[in-house]
mmCIF file of all heavy atoms in Angstrom:
data_model
loop_
_atom_site.group_PDB
_atom_site.id
_atom_site.type_symbol
_atom_site.label_atom_id
_atom_site.label_comp_id
_atom_site.label_asym_id
_atom_site.label_seq_id
_atom_site.Cartn_x
_atom_site.Cartn_y
_atom_site.Cartn_z
ATOM 1 N N ASP I 83 116.117 101.282 85.684
ATOM 2 C CA ASP I 83 116.905 102.523 85.566
ATOM 3 C C ASP I 83 116.404 103.604 86.538
ATOM 4 O O ASP I 83 117.072 104.426 87.002
ATOM 5 C CB ASP I 83 116.927 103.065 84.188
ATOM 6 C CG ASP I 83 117.610 102.227 83.053
ATOM 7 O OD1 ASP I 83 118.559 101.463 83.537
ATOM 8 O OD2 ASP I 83 117.182 102.262 81.999
ATOM 9 N N PHE I 84 115.013 103.508 86.828
ATOM 10 C CA PHE I 84 114.440 104.413 87.731
ATOM 11 C C PHE I 84 113.657 103.607 88.735
ATOM 12 O O PHE I 84 113.088 102.584 88.597
ATOM 13 C CB PHE I 84 113.271 105.185 86.991
ATOM 14 C CG PHE I 84 113.971 106.079 85.951
ATOM 15 C CD1 PHE I 84 114.077 105.625 84.649
ATOM 16 C CD2 PHE I 84 114.416 107.386 86.288
ATOM 17 C CE1 PHE I 84 114.658 106.449 83.639
ATOM 18 C CE2 PHE I 84 114.980 108.166 85.307
ATOM 19 C CZ PHE I 84 115.156 107.724 84.016
ATOM 20 N N VAL I 85 113.568 104.150 90.004
ATOM 21 C CA VAL I 85 112.659 103.591 91.090
ATOM 22 C C VAL I 85 111.531 104.623 91.150
ATOM 23 O O VAL I 85 111.676 105.797 91.268
ATOM 24 C CB VAL I 85 113.419 103.454 92.374
ATOM 25 C CG1 VAL I 85 112.440 102.906 93.426
ATOM 26 C CG2 VAL I 85 114.553 102.571 92.306
ATOM 27 N N ARG I 86 110.318 104.038 91.037
ATOM 28 C CA ARG I 86 109.079 104.843 91.206
ATOM 29 C C ARG I 86 108.265 104.457 92.405
ATOM 30 O O ARG I 86 108.102 103.244 92.566
ATOM 31 C CB ARG I 86 108.253 104.726 89.926
ATOM 32 C CG ARG I 86 108.876 105.266 88.683
ATOM 33 C CD ARG I 86 108.042 104.886 87.450
ATOM 34 N NE ARG I 86 108.487 105.501 86.273
ATOM 35 C CZ ARG I 86 109.448 105.024 85.508
ATOM 36 N NH1 ARG I 86 110.092 103.855 85.789
ATOM 37 N NH2 ARG I 86 109.837 105.683 84.333
ATOM 38 N N VAL I 87 107.798 105.493 93.076
ATOM 39 C CA VAL I 87 106.959 105.134 94.215
ATOM 40 C C VAL I 87 105.802 106.263 94.266
ATOM 41 O O VAL I 87 106.111 107.403 93.832
ATOM 42 C CB VAL I 87 107.678 105.062 95.626
ATOM 43 C CG1 VAL I 87 108.636 104.029 95.720
ATOM 44 C CG2 VAL I 87 108.208 106.422 96.006
ATOM 45 N N THR I 88 104.676 105.811 94.793
ATOM 46 C CA THR I 88 103.697 106.909 95.093
ATOM 47 C C THR I 88 103.855 107.125 96.538
ATOM 48 O O THR I 88 103.597 106.224 97.432
ATOM 49 C CB THR I 88 102.289 106.336 94.797
ATOM 50 O OG1 THR I 88 102.187 106.078 93.408
ATOM 51 C CG2 THR I 88 101.188 107.421 95.190
ATOM 52 N N ALA I 89 104.305 108.392 96.914
ATOM 53 C CA ALA I 89 104.666 108.623 98.373
ATOM 54 C C ALA I 89 103.380 108.430 99.206
ATOM 55 O O ALA I 89 102.360 108.997 98.912
ATOM 56 C CB ALA I 89 105.209 110.007 98.445
ATOM 57 N N GLN I 90 103.621 107.755 100.240
ATOM 58 C CA GLN I 90 102.559 107.515 101.239
ATOM 59 C C GLN I 90 102.158 108.898 101.942
ATOM 60 O O GLN I 90 100.957 109.032 102.059
ATOM 61 C CB GLN I 90 103.000 106.510 102.333
ATOM 62 C CG GLN I 90 101.858 105.889 103.032
ATOM 63 C CD GLN I 90 102.371 104.712 103.936
ATOM 64 O OE1 GLN I 90 103.570 104.662 104.244
ATOM 65 N NE2 GLN I 90 101.468 103.811 104.191
ATOM 66 N N LYS I 91 103.127 109.679 102.160
ATOM 67 C CA LYS I 91 102.748 111.016 102.810
ATOM 68 C C LYS I 91 102.096 111.931 101.954
ATOM 69 O O LYS I 91 101.044 112.575 102.448
ATOM 70 C CB LYS I 91 104.110 111.599 103.330
ATOM 71 C CG LYS I 91 103.789 112.811 104.149
ATOM 72 C CD LYS I 91 105.142 113.470 104.593
ATOM 73 C CE LYS I 91 104.900 114.721 105.360
ATOM 74 N NZ LYS I 91 106.135 115.358 105.860
ATOM 75 N N THR I 92 102.436 112.120 100.715
ATOM 76 C CA THR I 92 101.884 113.116 99.890
ATOM 77 C C THR I 92 100.897 112.637 98.816
ATOM 78 O O THR I 92 100.150 113.430 98.216
ATOM 79 C CB THR I 92 102.967 113.897 99.249
ATOM 80 O OG1 THR I 92 103.668 113.002 98.335
ATOM 81 C CG2 THR I 92 103.992 114.502 100.157
ATOM 82 N N GLY I 93 101.028 111.401 98.436
ATOM 83 C CA GLY I 93 100.289 110.765 97.391
ATOM 84 C C GLY I 93 100.838 111.122 96.006
ATOM 85 O O GLY I 93 100.198 110.700 94.981
ATOM 86 N N LYS I 94 101.854 111.812 95.946
ATOM 87 C CA LYS I 94 102.448 112.133 94.743
ATOM 88 C C LYS I 94 103.455 110.981 94.213
ATOM 89 O O LYS I 94 104.162 110.397 95.056
ATOM 90 C CB LYS I 94 103.355 113.448 94.797
ATOM 91 C CG LYS I 94 102.600 114.710 95.204
ATOM 92 C CD LYS I 94 103.541 115.888 95.282
ATOM 93 C CE LYS I 94 102.718 117.071 95.681
ATOM 94 N NZ LYS I 94 103.652 118.257 95.933
ATOM 95 N N GLU I 95 103.488 110.811 92.933
ATOM 96 C CA GLU I 95 104.461 109.824 92.367
ATOM 97 C C GLU I 95 105.826 110.484 92.275
ATOM 98 O O GLU I 95 105.992 111.581 91.864
ATOM 99 C CB GLU I 95 104.039 109.404 90.982
ATOM 100 C CG GLU I 95 104.998 108.301 90.552
ATOM 101 C CD GLU I 95 104.631 107.737 89.148
ATOM 102 O OE1 GLU I 95 103.820 106.733 89.228
ATOM 103 O OE2 GLU I 95 105.122 108.068 88.121
ATOM 104 N N ALA I 96 106.820 109.810 92.728
ATOM 105 C CA ALA I 96 108.115 110.258 92.660
ATOM 106 C C ALA I 96 108.986 109.174 91.808
ATOM 107 O O ALA I 96 108.678 107.905 91.898
ATOM 108 C CB ALA I 96 108.778 110.209 94.061
ATOM 109 N N ARG I 97 109.912 109.657 91.124
ATOM 110 C CA ARG I 97 110.696 108.829 90.196
ATOM 111 C C ARG I 97 112.163 109.194 90.383
ATOM 112 O O ARG I 97 112.526 110.416 90.217
ATOM 113 C CB ARG I 97 110.262 109.093 88.805
ATOM 114 C CG ARG I 97 111.120 108.277 87.748
ATOM 115 C CD ARG I 97 110.680 108.657 86.394
ATOM 116 N NE ARG I 97 111.418 109.908 86.099
ATOM 117 C CZ ARG I 97 112.125 110.021 84.930
ATOM 118 N NH1 ARG I 97 112.191 109.136 84.015
ATOM 119 N NH2 ARG I 97 112.707 111.175 84.757
ATOM 120 N N ILE I 98 112.995 108.310 90.726
ATOM 121 C CA ILE I 98 114.478 108.562 90.949
ATOM 122 C C ILE I 98 115.235 107.682 90.125
ATOM 123 O O ILE I 98 115.153 106.498 90.073
ATOM 124 C CB ILE I 98 114.863 108.312 92.512
ATOM 125 C CG1 ILE I 98 114.022 109.293 93.366
ATOM 126 C CG2 ILE I 98 116.289 108.419 92.674
ATOM 127 C CD1 ILE I 98 114.360 110.719 93.310
ATOM 128 N N ALA I 99 116.170 108.295 89.311
ATOM 129 C CA ALA I 99 117.036 107.621 88.514
ATOM 130 C C ALA I 99 118.184 107.017 89.285
ATOM 131 O O ALA I 99 118.580 107.628 90.374
ATOM 132 C CB ALA I 99 117.663 108.566 87.384
ATOM 133 N N MET I 100 118.746 105.952 88.929
ATOM 134 C CA MET I 100 119.831 105.206 89.748
ATOM 135 C C MET I 100 120.964 105.074 88.815
ATOM 136 O O MET I 100 120.849 104.654 87.693
ATOM 137 C CB MET I 100 119.287 103.917 90.248
ATOM 138 C CG MET I 100 118.088 104.139 91.174
ATOM 139 S SD MET I 100 118.045 103.099 92.549
ATOM 140 C CE MET I 100 117.504 101.632 91.832
ATOM 141 N N ASN I 101 122.126 105.349 89.327
ATOM 142 C CA ASN I 101 123.442 105.196 88.567
ATOM 143 C C ASN I 101 123.778 103.768 88.435
ATOM 144 O O ASN I 101 123.239 102.925 89.115
ATOM 145 C CB ASN I 101 124.497 106.064 89.063
ATOM 146 C CG ASN I 101 125.021 105.569 90.439
ATOM 147 O OD1 ASN I 101 125.148 104.489 90.658
ATOM 148 N ND2 ASN I 101 125.283 106.589 91.295
ATOM 149 N N GLY I 102 124.749 103.491 87.599
ATOM 150 C CA GLY I 102 125.136 102.109 87.275
ATOM 151 C C GLY I 102 125.691 101.336 88.462
ATOM 152 O O GLY I 102 125.292 100.180 88.642
ATOM 153 N N SER I 103 126.383 102.002 89.372
ATOM 154 C CA SER I 103 126.889 101.347 90.583
ATOM 155 C C SER I 103 125.759 100.882 91.515
ATOM 156 O O SER I 103 125.820 99.841 92.116
ATOM 157 C CB SER I 103 127.991 102.122 91.282
ATOM 158 O OG SER I 103 127.609 103.262 91.776
ATOM 159 N N VAL I 104 124.755 101.776 91.729
ATOM 160 C CA VAL I 104 123.694 101.454 92.579
ATOM 161 C C VAL I 104 122.913 100.279 92.057
ATOM 162 O O VAL I 104 122.510 99.330 92.643
ATOM 163 C CB VAL I 104 122.774 102.629 92.801
ATOM 164 C CG1 VAL I 104 121.530 102.364 93.522
ATOM 165 C CG2 VAL I 104 123.639 103.864 93.560
ATOM 166 N N ARG I 105 122.554 100.393 90.675
ATOM 167 C CA ARG I 105 121.888 99.301 90.050
ATOM 168 C C ARG I 105 122.640 97.989 90.129
ATOM 169 O O ARG I 105 121.992 96.912 90.420
ATOM 170 C CB ARG I 105 121.703 99.595 88.533
ATOM 171 C CG ARG I 105 120.530 100.656 88.211
ATOM 172 C CD ARG I 105 120.153 100.651 86.874
ATOM 173 N NE ARG I 105 121.207 100.674 85.816
ATOM 174 C CZ ARG I 105 121.753 101.706 85.315
ATOM 175 N NH1 ARG I 105 121.357 102.913 85.752
ATOM 176 N NH2 ARG I 105 122.614 101.689 84.447
ATOM 177 N N ALA I 106 123.936 97.950 89.975
ATOM 178 C CA ALA I 106 124.794 96.751 90.139
ATOM 179 C C ALA I 106 124.611 96.163 91.545
ATOM 180 O O ALA I 106 124.527 94.974 91.748
ATOM 181 C CB ALA I 106 126.169 97.050 89.741
ATOM 182 N N ALA I 107 124.758 97.133 92.500
ATOM 183 C CA ALA I 107 124.591 96.548 93.905
ATOM 184 C C ALA I 107 123.237 96.040 94.122
ATOM 185 O O ALA I 107 123.108 94.936 94.825
ATOM 186 C CB ALA I 107 124.862 97.714 94.889
ATOM 187 N N ILE I 108 122.161 96.665 93.662
ATOM 188 C CA ILE I 108 120.832 96.145 93.880
ATOM 189 C C ILE I 108 120.695 94.780 93.146
ATOM 190 O O ILE I 108 120.153 93.790 93.822
ATOM 191 C CB ILE I 108 119.770 97.162 93.361
ATOM 192 C CG1 ILE I 108 119.707 98.342 94.334
ATOM 193 C CG2 ILE I 108 118.415 96.448 93.180
ATOM 194 C CD1 ILE I 108 118.837 99.470 93.819
ATOM 195 N N ASN I 109 121.214 94.646 92.014
ATOM 196 C CA ASN I 109 121.055 93.404 91.206
ATOM 197 C C ASN I 109 121.845 92.274 91.935
ATOM 198 O O ASN I 109 121.306 91.103 92.072
ATOM 199 C CB ASN I 109 121.582 93.531 89.754
ATOM 200 C CG ASN I 109 120.682 94.390 88.980
ATOM 201 O OD1 ASN I 109 119.526 94.650 89.279
ATOM 202 N ND2 ASN I 109 121.227 94.980 87.883
ATOM 203 N N ARG I 110 123.034 92.555 92.515
ATOM 204 C CA ARG I 110 123.775 91.671 93.271
ATOM 205 C C ARG I 110 123.049 91.157 94.421
ATOM 206 O O ARG I 110 123.055 90.030 94.872
ATOM 207 C CB ARG I 110 125.117 92.287 93.675
ATOM 208 C CG ARG I 110 126.004 91.355 94.572
ATOM 209 C CD ARG I 110 127.422 92.015 94.840
ATOM 210 N NE ARG I 110 127.340 93.353 95.391
ATOM 211 C CZ ARG I 110 127.135 93.643 96.662
ATOM 212 N NH1 ARG I 110 127.059 92.760 97.598
ATOM 213 N NH2 ARG I 110 127.178 94.973 97.058
ATOM 214 N N LEU I 111 122.454 92.165 95.218
ATOM 215 C CA LEU I 111 121.830 91.980 96.571
ATOM 216 C C LEU I 111 120.506 91.319 96.448
ATOM 217 O O LEU I 111 119.950 90.768 97.387
ATOM 218 C CB LEU I 111 121.821 93.223 97.342
ATOM 219 C CG LEU I 111 123.172 93.718 97.817
ATOM 220 C CD1 LEU I 111 123.041 95.177 98.303
ATOM 221 C CD2 LEU I 111 123.829 92.822 98.845
ATOM 222 N N THR I 112 119.884 91.330 95.229
ATOM 223 C CA THR I 112 118.553 90.701 95.057
ATOM 224 C C THR I 112 118.602 89.447 94.142
ATOM 225 O O THR I 112 117.639 88.906 93.821
ATOM 226 C CB THR I 112 117.546 91.706 94.468
ATOM 227 O OG1 THR I 112 118.059 92.123 93.124
ATOM 228 C CG2 THR I 112 117.300 92.858 95.386
ATOM 229 N N ALA I 113 119.783 89.092 93.740
ATOM 230 C CA ALA I 113 119.920 87.878 92.926
ATOM 231 C C ALA I 113 119.318 86.648 93.533
ATOM 232 O O ALA I 113 119.427 86.426 94.741
ATOM 233 C CB ALA I 113 121.434 87.620 92.636
ATOM 234 N N GLY I 114 118.576 85.959 92.687
ATOM 235 C CA GLY I 114 117.925 84.700 93.218
ATOM 236 C C GLY I 114 116.531 84.912 93.894
ATOM 237 O O GLY I 114 115.931 84.047 94.352
ATOM 238 N N ARG I 115 116.239 86.133 93.987
ATOM 239 C CA ARG I 115 114.944 86.412 94.754
ATOM 240 C C ARG I 115 113.796 86.701 93.716
ATOM 241 O O ARG I 115 114.025 87.101 92.626
ATOM 242 C CB ARG I 115 115.010 87.625 95.630
ATOM 243 C CG ARG I 115 116.104 87.359 96.790
ATOM 244 C CD ARG I 115 116.107 88.539 97.730
ATOM 245 N NE ARG I 115 114.825 88.916 98.205
ATOM 246 C CZ ARG I 115 114.538 90.054 98.805
ATOM 247 N NH1 ARG I 115 115.661 90.909 99.077
ATOM 248 N NH2 ARG I 115 113.416 90.470 99.209
ATOM 249 N N GLY I 116 112.560 86.377 94.082
ATOM 250 C CA GLY I 116 111.479 86.457 93.225
ATOM 251 C C GLY I 116 111.008 87.931 93.139
ATOM 252 O O GLY I 116 111.201 88.711 94.104
ATOM 253 N N GLY I 117 110.619 88.392 92.004
ATOM 254 C CA GLY I 117 110.147 89.676 91.676
ATOM 255 C C GLY I 117 109.063 90.157 92.651
ATOM 256 O O GLY I 117 109.002 91.441 92.903
ATOM 257 N N ASN I 118 108.196 89.311 93.002
ATOM 258 C CA ASN I 118 107.004 89.684 93.828
ATOM 259 C C ASN I 118 107.341 89.753 95.305
ATOM 260 O O ASN I 118 106.495 90.077 96.028
ATOM 261 C CB ASN I 118 105.874 88.776 93.598
ATOM 262 C CG ASN I 118 105.171 88.986 92.263
ATOM 263 O OD1 ASN I 118 105.208 90.088 91.766
ATOM 264 N ND2 ASN I 118 104.681 87.979 91.612
#
Side-chain angles (χ1 to χ4, degrees):
D83 293 331
F84 297 91
V85 178
R86 293 173 174 85
V87 297
T88 300
Q90 199 170 25
K91 180 178 178 182
T92 65
K94 295 178 182 175
E95 183 175 276
R97 180 188 81 126
I98 296 294
M100 301 217 282
N101 68 41
S103 61
V104 172
R105 285 195 314 270
I108 289 170
N109 292 342
R110 172 179 56 84
L111 293 166
T112 61
R115 294 188 49 198
N118 286 329

